[in-house]
């Protein structure tokens, strides 16, 4: 099966040289590109395959707009956190506190709305009160992130420990503030619009999450902030010697993930119209899984926001698809687990290839 | 060991004030005084080699100049003016660039991204990739670094010599006046060492002051105009290359003295002595 392409040069002095010389740089470049961004490309393919399989099995149900919409809605809150998590993991850090910060921010938002609303509850509160409450929620998340970032950057406590502590503390504080009982007096206006409303066919939650992801992608790829994030994850000491203020940058990165967890708290509050105290213990693992699936290296220095979007969608799509197909959804955990381990294994192979120069 | 007439160049070069003068630099880490009143003079267009045994204080001295360590005592004169360098940014602002032994390159970033790291050009809020790519390519070309095929390949995929070349190119990109190289050839093979040494010579010819730290006396004698010997935190010699041979440099590094140095001109190299420099 030697199909020689029509080579115009009649006098090929060395067939090996022309063939190899002609194709190898191109191939090497292609391989280099696919390798450097390999995981997102491959994982996108995985997503496409999953969607194709479910679409073939149950075309009408899976592709119905209801299911697509619910898939995206389910993904949007996680996506907002995953955008922040991508920055953190690219610095070779980790944030285990996101789910608890989400709850904490939601609680702060509700409490502020309650305090500002005219009646005993905030259910009938107006937009002014809602807006202040939402901003308070985001501020609470950002403040939490700054506190964690300060301990990580200045006190040099490993991020795993700092955010593990933050994970417990944020949830505990939320329970203290609410006496352990979910606050459900979320303004109806909020739930009916941002929480469950749509702009045309597009749910507000999805629009907000995608806007966050697009901005996140731009910041990560095309700004100094993003470049420094990669540099620190790749070689923190080198970045420091280049004159980058590594400590301050890390502080900012953890502030960003805190802020976005706060925003996710607002969105979750709007969607479920309650503070969902008990429902976010696994958010950290869900979000970290999504980011890693999307090709961001746990060892830092490599990552993309596009990959993160795909990585968030895969578990959600699997979940929805398995329900429709009639397989127990427990298999979703199995499938995601396997893919996750494979993704990290592929990442390690890539690193080994790179270091063998 | 050929010592040519080029030794006269440093004698003729010093026109006016030196680029950098260190006077009585002291640095102490806890109970240990690593630098004990070091003097050193660096001039533009000169390659100065800083040699010394392990623990002599070479790294500490260059980190002090680079602003990573603040000195406890002593003066730094930059083009005749008294300056203090508190951090790497201060040093860079003066025109001091350091190429560290471990290169300080970010493996996952490409050549352009590394060369501009910390000083990215922007158009509005976004990075101006095109302009940076163009300048990086021009700088590499001007240094005759031709082995790097694409400036968009990640540094991780480069050879040791290429990485060193990129690190040096990064250092000279900023209108720098003094480039400090820490063991630039330590991890390199023969031909790659050749590449880097040629590059170092070119820096001197461009009119930059170069301070090169090296253990390899062959390299030192090949590229250096002057040789400064540090021993236990003290500068025991700062001489023109032509006034010493490698045997006396070894003596200076180990004992702090060389009888032959005081003798007129380069000491005769006995075959037994020159074996020791290997």
């Amino acid at each position: 099966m030697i199909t020689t392409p029509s080579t115009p040069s009649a006098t090929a002095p060395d067939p090996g040289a022309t063939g190899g010389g002609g194709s190898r740089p191109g191939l090497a470049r292609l391989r280099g590109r696919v390798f450097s961004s390999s995981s997102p490309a491959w994982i996108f393919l995985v997503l496409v395959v999953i969607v194709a399989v479910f679409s073939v099995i149950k075309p009408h149900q899976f592709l119905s707009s209801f299911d697509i919409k619910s898939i995206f809605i389910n993904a949007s809150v996680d996506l907002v956190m995953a955008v922040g998590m991508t920055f953190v993991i690219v610095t070779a850090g980790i944030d285990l506190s996101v789910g608890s910060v989400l709850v904490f921010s939601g609680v702060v938002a509700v409490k502020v709305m309650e305090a500002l609303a005219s009646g005993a509850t905030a259910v009938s509160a107006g937009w002014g009160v809602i807006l202040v409450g939402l901003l308070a929620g985001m501020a609470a998340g950002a403040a939490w992130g700054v506190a964690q970032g300060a301990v990580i950057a200045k006190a040099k406590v490993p991020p795993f420990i700092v955010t593990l502590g933050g994970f417990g503390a944020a949830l505990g504080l939320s329970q203290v503030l609410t006496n352990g009982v979910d606050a459900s007096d979320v303004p109806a206006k909020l739930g009916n619009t941002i929480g469950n409303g749509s702009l045309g066919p597009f749910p507000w939650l999805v629009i907000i999450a995608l806007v966050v992801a697009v901005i996140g992608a731009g910041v990560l790829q095309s700004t100094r902030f993003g470049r420094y994030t990669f540099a620190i994850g790749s070689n923190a000491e080198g970045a420091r010697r280049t004159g980058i203020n590594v400590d301050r940058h890390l502080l900012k990165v953890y502030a960003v993930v805190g802020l976005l967890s706060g925003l996710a708290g607002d969105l979750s509050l709007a969607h479920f119209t309650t503070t969902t105290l008990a429902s976010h213990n696994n958010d950290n693992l869900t979000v970290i899984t999504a980011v890693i699936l999307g090709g961001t290296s746990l060892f830092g220095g490599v990552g993309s926001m596009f990959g993160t979007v795909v990585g968030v969608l895969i578990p959600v799509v699997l979940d929805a698809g398995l329900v429709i197909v009639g397989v127990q959804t427990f298999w979703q955990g199995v499938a995601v687990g396997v893919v996750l381990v494979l993704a990290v294994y592929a990442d390690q192979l890539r690193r080994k290839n790179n270091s063998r120069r | 060991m050929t010592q040519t007439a080029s030794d006269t160049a440093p004698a003729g070069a010093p026109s006016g004030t030196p680029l950098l003068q260190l006077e009585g630099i002291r640095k102490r880490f806890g109970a240990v005084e690593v630098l004990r009143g070091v003097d050193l003079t660096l001039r533009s267009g000169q390659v100065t080699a800083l040699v010394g045994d392990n623990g002599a204080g070479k790294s500490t001295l260059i980190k002090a100049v680079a602003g990573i360590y603040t000195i406890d005592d002593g003066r730094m004169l930059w083009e005749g003016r008294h300056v203090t360098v508190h951090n790497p940014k201060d040093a860079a602002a003066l025109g001091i660039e350091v190429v560290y032994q471990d290169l300080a390159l970010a493996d996952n970033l490409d050549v352009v991204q590394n060369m501009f790291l910390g000083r990215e050009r922007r158009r509005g809020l976004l990075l101006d990739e095109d302009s940076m790519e163009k300048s990086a390519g021009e700088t590499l070309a001007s240094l005759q670094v031709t082995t790097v095929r694409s400036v968009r390949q990640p540094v991780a995929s480069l050879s040791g010599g290429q990485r060193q070349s990129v690190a040096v190119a990064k250092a000279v990109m900023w209108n720098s006046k003094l480039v400090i190289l820490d063991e630039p050839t330590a991890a390199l093979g023969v031909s790659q060492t050749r590449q880097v040494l040629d590059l170092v010579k070119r820096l001197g010819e461009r009119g930059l002051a170069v301070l090169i730290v090296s253990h390899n006396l062959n390299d030192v004698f090949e590229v250096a105009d002057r040789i400064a010997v540090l021993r236990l935190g003290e500068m025991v010699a700062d001489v023109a290359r032509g006034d010493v041979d490698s045997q006396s440099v070894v003596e200076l590094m180990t004992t702090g003295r060389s009888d032959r140095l005081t003798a007129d001109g380069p000491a005769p190299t006995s075959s037994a002595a020159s074996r020791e420099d290997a």
Side-chain angles (χ1 to χ4, degrees):
Chain A
M1 40 182 273
I2 303 165
T3 53
T4 339
S6 60
T7 41
S9 63
T11 56
D14 182 354
T18 47
S23 67
R24 197 163 291 156
L27 195 70
R29 204 177 316 135
L30 187 69
R31 194 167 44 200
R33 194 165 298 163
V34 171
F35 247 121
S36 63
S37 62
S38 87
S39 307
W42 282 113
I43 212 71
F44 182 64
L45 206 66
V46 170
L47 179 64
V48 169
V49 168
I50 294 172
V51 170
V53 167
F54 286 131
S55 307
V56 168
I57 299 176
K58 296 268 178 170
H60 300 298
Q61 276 168 287
F62 190 72
L63 290 180
S64 72
S65 75
F66 172 76
D67 276 308
I68 289 182
K69 201 182 270 186
S70 70
I71 285 171
F72 280 111
I73 287 175
N74 289 340
S76 51
V77 173
D78 284 346
L79 178 57
V80 171
M81 285 186 281
V83 169
M85 187 70 82
T86 305
F87 282 95
V88 170
I89 295 183
V90 167
T91 67
I94 199 82
D95 187 350
L96 299 175
S97 71
V98 285
S100 295
V101 175
L102 177 156
V103 170
F104 177 67
S105 305
V107 167
V108 169
V110 169
K111 289 294 164 190
V112 168
M113 290 180 205
E114 280 177 6
L116 294 176
S118 43
T121 71
V123 174
S124 54
W127 277 113
V129 170
I130 292 172
L131 191 68
V132 173
L134 294 181
L135 288 176
M138 281 191 266
W144 197 275
V146 167
Q148 291 186 151
V151 178
I152 290 164
K154 303 291 179 193
K156 311 289 179 201
V157 181
F160 185 94
I161 298 302
V162 173
T163 59
L164 185 61
F167 171 71
L171 186 60
L173 266 185
S174 309
Q175 288 163 330
V176 168
L177 288 173
T178 57
N179 285 324
V181 182
D182 273 315
S184 302
D185 53 338
V186 174
K189 280 182 183 167
L190 178 62
N192 293 336
T193 54
I194 294 175
N196 298 288
S198 296
L199 179 67
F202 305 108
W204 278 110
L205 284 183
V206 176
I207 294 172
I208 292 170
L210 283 181
V211 166
V212 168
V214 167
I215 293 174
V219 170
L220 187 63
Q221 286 304 326
S222 307
T223 67
R224 275 190 192 169
F225 186 86
R227 185 59 48 81
Y228 293 177
T229 304
F230 279 111
I232 289 170
S234 188
N235 181 351
E237 185 52 33
R240 189 171 284 121
R241 288 184 185 174
T242 310
I244 295 172
N245 190 334
V246 173
D247 291 352
R248 200 175 60 197
H249 192 81
L250 282 178
L251 187 75
K252 286 184 195 167
V253 166
Y254 283 93
V256 165
V257 73
L259 174 71
L260 290 178
S261 299
L263 175 60
D266 286 345
L267 297 181
S268 169
L269 190 71
H271 186 58
F272 296 106
T273 64
T274 175
T275 49
T276 58
L277 285 172
S279 311
H280 295 277
N281 285 329
N282 293 328
D283 279 16
N284 48 10
L285 300 183
T286 308
V287 169
I288 291 167
T289 302
V291 172
I292 303 297
L293 277 180
T296 297
S297 172
L298 204 50
F299 309 101
V302 175
S304 79
M305 215 49 89
F306 172 73
T308 292
V309 173
V310 176
V312 168
L313 285 176
I314 282 185
V316 185
V317 170
L318 265 181
D319 229 2
L322 291 174
V323 170
I324 292 165
V325 175
V327 179
Q328 283 179 304
T329 52
F330 309 129
W331 284 105
Q332 184 255 24
V334 177
V336 170
V338 170
V339 176
L340 175 70
V341 174
L342 286 178
V344 172
Y345 179 61
D347 183 34
Q348 283 179 342
L349 286 185
R350 182 193 60 79
R351 286 161 54 82
K352 217 177 281 173
N353 270 332
N354 270 349
S355 62
R356 204 194 302 136
R357 41 173 193 272
Chain B
M1 225 43 48
T2 52
Q3 276 139 3
T4 59
S6 68
D7 301 335
T8 52
S15 55
T17 52
L19 182 65
L20 176 67
Q21 276 174 287
L22 303 179
E23 291 177 355
I25 302 293
R26 288 179 181 275
K27 177 67 186 176
R28 160 188 295 282
F29 293 109
V32 186
E33 190 164 34
V34 182
L35 298 178
R36 302 192 284 181
V38 172
D39 299 341
L40 183 63
T41 300
L42 302 176
R43 295 177 186 279
S44 299
Q46 261 187 8
V47 178
T48 305
L50 180 63
V51 299
D53 208 349
N54 288 339
K58 305 187 296 289
S59 300
T60 308
L61 183 60
I62 62 175
K63 282 181 178 163
V65 174
I68 291 177
Y69 298 149
T70 48
I71 54 176
D72 298 334
D73 197 12
R75 294 209 305 164
M76 256 178 90
L77 296 176
W78 182 258
E79 294 174 328
R81 284 181 303 115
H82 183 238
V83 291
T84 45
V85 177
H86 297 291
N87 53 51
K89 281 232 160 98
D90 288 352
L94 290 174
I96 301 173
E97 290 291 327
V98 188
V99 179
Y100 291 99
Q101 191 171 2
D102 48 13
L103 296 178
L105 296 177
D107 269 1
N108 300 116
L109 301 186
D110 66 31
V111 173
V112 179
Q113 293 172 340
N114 265 293
M115 286 176 69
F116 276 89
L117 191 59
R119 284 173 278 207
E120 289 81 1
R121 284 185 198 155
R122 285 185 297 187
R123 204 188 289 143
L125 275 177
L126 303 182
L127 299 172
D128 188 352
E129 297 285 354
D130 291 345
S131 135
M132 288 194 282
E133 183 171 331
K134 190 157 167 281
S135 299
E138 285 167 1
T139 301
L140 287 172
S142 76
L143 292 170
Q144 295 164 43
V145 177
T146 50
T147 55
V148 176
R149 191 149 28 116
S150 162
V151 291
R152 282 301 179 189
Q153 68 194 55
V155 163
S157 69
L158 300 179
S159 73
Q162 289 173 328
R163 290 165 64 90
Q164 195 72 55
S165 301
V166 168
V168 172
K170 175 186 177 184
V172 302
M173 202 158 176
W174 308 102
N175 299 319
S176 44
K177 296 173 177 167
L178 167 61
V179 174
I180 302 174
L181 301 154
D182 186 9
E183 296 279 359
T185 59
L188 302 183
V190 176
S191 71
Q192 309 227 332
T193 297
R194 177 87 269 129
Q195 277 178 27
V196 171
L197 291 182
D198 286 347
L199 190 52
V200 172
K201 284 187 203 162
R202 252 172 259 138
L203 298 183
E205 286 159 11
R206 277 187 157 205
L208 293 166
V210 180
L211 180 64
I212 176 171
V213 176
S214 183
H215 271 110
N216 187 328
L217 292 185
N218 287 330
D219 291 1
V220 166
F221 275 90
E222 178 161 353
V223 297
D225 300 310
R226 292 192 71 80
I227 298 174
V229 185
L230 204 55
R231 179 175 176 273
L232 300 176
E234 288 173 348
M235 195 62 83
V236 293
D238 180 2
V239 293
R241 176 184 56 181
D243 294 346
V244 284
D245 58 18
S246 60
Q247 172 60 20
S248 43
V249 170
V250 171
E251 281 175 20
L252 286 163
M253 283 164 64
T254 49
T255 67
R257 264 195 308 274
S258 172
D259 299 335
R260 286 114 72 77
L261 188 64
T262 51
D264 48 330
T269 46
S270 69
S271 60
S274 60
R275 299 194 77 84
E276 279 187 55
D277 65 321

